[in-house]
Amino acid sequence: MKQNEKNLQTQCSTAVSSFDETFQNASGEIPYNMTNDYMFRAVLQSNHNVLRGLICSLLHLAESEVKTVEITNPIILGDTVKDKEFRLDINVVMNNCVLINLEMQIANKLNRENRSIMYLCRSYDQIHRGQDYREARPAVHIGFLDYTLFDGYPEFYAAYKLINVKNQQIYSNDFTLYVVDLSRIDLATDEDRRYHIHDWASLFKAATWEELKMIASKDDDLKEAAQTIFRMSADEVIRKRCRDREEYYQDLRNYERAIAEKEEKIERDRKEHEEDLRNYERAIAEKEEKIERDRKEHEEDLRNYEKKLSEYERDRKEQAEEMAQLRAEIERLKGK
């Protein structure tokens, strides 16, 4: 019996050594990194040490403070995802108390604010009928985005709470939203770096095995995460599901591109119609100006004509008076 146990330990040790060697020799492009939401789910669901390490980093906790992490919505890894919009966010209960929702979202669906609030509210709303509201457990939503949520306020790792907008008094610490902007790792603060949040973000985005191994060398949790990515990548079924998600997001990007092109065309047509309208209004205005000029010229001509007519009438009257005077003088002379 002891010999069998010894043989099993030897086999396990040999397998681990072989895996480590294979991982260390890995090179080239990573097929699907953790920005793929299925790989994100597969890695964190299959390795609770990695999940705990990530949560400790994000929430600034020592590992001794996190006794348990339990995923409450596990999926069967490798099963076909029939619904392309299948939710791959991860619901976690930490220390049987804090409810945490993690989500990877690389496509900007323009609904992030509402979506994250909805997820957070669903997590928080766990009170059963008859329970005291004070029994509500703290809820946390952590979103990993590969785009900047608020263009005017770029930030690598942001925290949002319910606060008094006048004096900044926190209303409650039990309702928190965190956003990790994977596209702005360059904005990581000293605090972000102290808790290795920038390393996790870099690991999620690593494009090659060489880059991944370099990041993994900084921390045991990062190393275990990198090895889990490698192990998941070796699973043909997992790769297939990751590819399905890539195709879904490609279809989504194509659809968004088509919508954007349609909107651009509508905007171009609108501008062209507005330009045509401005040209038409300009032509009408010029025509009206010409008509007004012609009217003024005709009125001027009419005034000149009336003036000449008045002068002619005055001359005619003067001539008629002169003729009358001449006739009178002639009659006077005849009378003599």
Side-chain angles (χ1 to χ4, degrees):
M1 188 68 174
K2 291 183 178 180
Q3 184 62 40
N4 289 338
E5 291 179 356
K6 187 176 181 180
N7 290 339
L8 182 60
Q9 290 176 353
T10 301
Q11 290 173 4
C12 290
S13 177
T14 302
V16 170
S17 176
S18 176
F19 174 82
D20 287 342
E21 183 179 354
T22 305
F23 172 67
Q24 290 303 323
N25 291 332
S27 62
E29 185 178 349
I30 298 173
Y32 303 103
N33 61 21
M34 284 184 67
T35 60
N36 181 290
D37 55 3
Y38 198 92
M39 181 61 74
F40 177 79
R41 155 68 82 156
V43 170
L44 295 183
Q45 180 173 308
S46 62
N47 195 321
H48 280 206
N49 289 336
V50 174
L51 177 61
R52 184 178 65 175
L54 175 62
I55 289 174
C56 287
S57 177
L58 293 166
L59 301 185
H60 300 175
L61 300 172
E63 289 198 7
S64 59
E65 296 179 79
V66 180
K67 307 300 181 184
T68 60
V69 286
E70 177 190 356
I71 295 178
T72 61
N73 63 336
I75 64 172
I76 300 176
L77 294 176
D79 270 12
T80 302
V81 179
K82 294 181 180 179
D83 181 0
K84 285 195 172 183
E85 293 199 51
F86 181 76
R87 282 179 54 182
L88 286 167
D89 59 307
I90 303 172
N91 294 327
V92 177
V93 178
M94 184 182 74
N95 295 340
N96 295 318
C97 178
V98 182
L99 306 172
I100 303 173
N101 177 260
L102 301 106
E103 181 187 22
M104 174 65 67
Q105 188 184 74
I106 60 170
N108 187 357
K109 298 180 180 179
L110 305 179
N111 63 0
R112 180 65 204 173
E113 300 95 310
N114 304 90
R115 178 188 180 101
S116 57
I117 291 172
M118 184 65 69
Y119 282 8
L120 184 58
C121 289
R122 286 173 181 168
S123 296
Y124 190 67
D125 187 15
Q126 300 291 328
I127 289 292
H128 300 297
R129 187 172 183 176
Q131 277 187 283
D132 192 302
Y133 287 115
R134 288 172 296 183
E135 296 180 40
R137 293 181 289 182
V140 174
H141 178 82
I142 304 171
F144 298 90
L145 314 182
D146 203 18
Y147 57 89
T148 298
L149 185 59
F150 302 112
D151 290 333
Y153 302 92
E155 189 174 357
F156 168 59
Y157 187 45
Y160 300 91
K161 290 180 179 288
L162 292 173
I163 64 168
N164 183 309
V165 296
K166 291 182 179 178
N167 59 22
Q168 308 303 303
Q169 170 65 40
I170 295 177
Y171 189 85
S172 172
N173 280 312
D174 290 350
F175 203 75
T176 312
L177 281 163
Y178 293 99
V179 177
V180 182
D181 184 349
L182 299 175
S183 69
R184 297 309 308 265
I185 300 175
D186 60 302
L187 296 180
T189 64
D190 291 340
E191 184 178 51
D192 299 331
R193 295 177 182 277
R194 184 163 66 252
Y195 288 98
H196 300 287
I197 300 173
H198 71 300
D199 288 326
W200 281 102
S202 298
L203 181 132
F204 285 0
K205 294 201 70 174
T208 65
W209 294 114
E210 290 86 352
E211 181 184 359
L212 186 73
K213 286 183 288 186
M214 181 181 68
I215 298 167
S217 65
K218 300 179 180 181
D219 178 88
D220 287 341
D221 290 329
L222 293 169
K223 180 180 179 181
E224 194 161 347
Q227 291 175 337
T228 307
I229 294 172
F230 183 73
R231 188 169 65 253
M232 293 293 104
S233 297
D235 188 317
E236 184 177 348
V237 177
I238 298 297
R239 287 202 310 274
K240 173 67 169 63
R241 300 297 164 253
C242 289
R243 184 164 61 251
D244 290 342
R245 297 302 292 171
E246 289 291 320
E247 289 174 357
Y248 161 67
Y249 280 111
Q250 185 58 49
D251 290 343
L252 184 62
R253 285 190 289 270
N254 291 339
Y255 174 75
E256 290 171 345
R257 189 179 302 114
I259 292 294
E261 290 174 356
K262 185 69 175 178
E263 289 176 343
E264 287 177 3
K265 184 179 184 304
I266 291 172
E267 181 64 13
R268 284 198 306 272
D269 291 344
R270 184 187 65 78
K271 289 181 178 179
E272 289 176 2
H273 291 320
E274 287 181 349
E275 183 63 25
D276 291 342
L277 181 61
R278 283 193 293 271
N279 291 336
Y280 176 74
E281 290 174 342
R282 190 180 301 115
I284 292 295
E286 291 173 355
K287 186 70 173 177
E288 289 176 342
E289 287 175 4
K290 184 178 184 305
I291 291 172
E292 181 65 13
R293 284 197 306 271
D294 291 345
R295 184 187 65 78
K296 289 180 178 179
E297 289 176 1
H298 291 321
E299 287 180 348
E300 182 66 22
D301 291 342
L302 181 60
R303 283 193 295 271
N304 292 335
Y305 174 75
E306 289 175 342
K307 182 178 179 182
K308 288 180 180 179
L309 183 63
S310 177
E311 291 174 353
Y312 172 77
E313 184 65 20
R314 186 174 62 251
D315 290 345
R316 187 186 67 77
K317 286 182 179 180
E318 289 176 354
Q319 289 175 1
E321 289 175 356
E322 289 177 358
M323 290 295 294
Q325 291 175 358
L326 286 172
R327 287 192 187 96
E329 181 65 20
I330 290 171
E331 290 297 325
R332 186 181 68 76
L333 292 174
K334 284 181 178 181
K336 288 183 177 181

